[in-house]
């Protein structure tokens, strides 16, 4: 799944989601999407030489890149408690 949001919490949010473990493919998709956006005439991004890309969300200051991975752990709380989850963490 590929998504591009303009004018949300950040100036721009590009998201790519894919099931599986091929992170290089996901990163390549993101890079392709970013190249497409950067090629649009008239689009410029606020960037500070010291702090990087300026954003309204302080956790994204700098590169503005954030990655996350979702891991499915079947039956971790099947007994109705978080005891097994606490053992893992």
């Amino acid at each position: 799944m590929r998504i591009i949001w303009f004018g949300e919490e950040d100036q721009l949010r590009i998201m790519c989601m894919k099931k599986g473990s091929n992170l290089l493919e996901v990163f390549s998709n993101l890079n392709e999407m970013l190249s497409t956006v950067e090629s649009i005439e008239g689009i410029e991004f606020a960037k500070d030489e010291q702090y990087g890309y300026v954003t309204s969300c302080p956790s994204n200051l700098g590169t503005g890149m954030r990655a996350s991975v979702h891991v499915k752990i079947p039956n971790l709380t099947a007994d109705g408690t978080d005891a097994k989850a606490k053992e893992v963490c």
Side-chain angles (χ1 to χ4, degrees):
M1 177 187 313
R2 296 178 175 198
I3 303 168
I4 298 177
W5 288 347
F6 285 93
E8 279 291 320
E9 178 182 287
D10 302 305
Q11 300 173 50
L12 167 73
R13 183 171 292 187
I14 299 174
M15 294 179 283
C16 183
M17 295 174 248
K18 181 170 179 45
K19 287 186 178 184
S21 60
N22 191 341
L23 297 179
L24 180 58
E25 183 179 355
V26 174
F27 185 80
S28 297
N29 286 338
L30 287 169
N31 189 48
E32 181 183 323
M33 295 166 71
L34 180 58
S35 295
T36 299
V37 170
E38 288 178 331
S39 70
I40 300 171
E41 190 174 328
I43 292 183
E44 296 180 26
F45 299 99
K47 185 176 181 183
D48 181 87
E49 290 304 316
Q50 182 177 355
Y51 297 110
Y53 288 97
V54 179
T55 174
S56 61
C57 183
S59 66
N60 295 338
L61 190 64
T63 64
M65 184 174 175
R66 178 176 57 196
S68 59
V69 176
H70 297 259
V71 179
K72 184 176 182 178
I73 305 175
N75 301 320
L76 188 61
T77 58
D79 64 357
T81 71
D82 62 356
K84 289 180 185 176
K86 286 182 178 178
E87 287 177 25
V88 174
C89 297

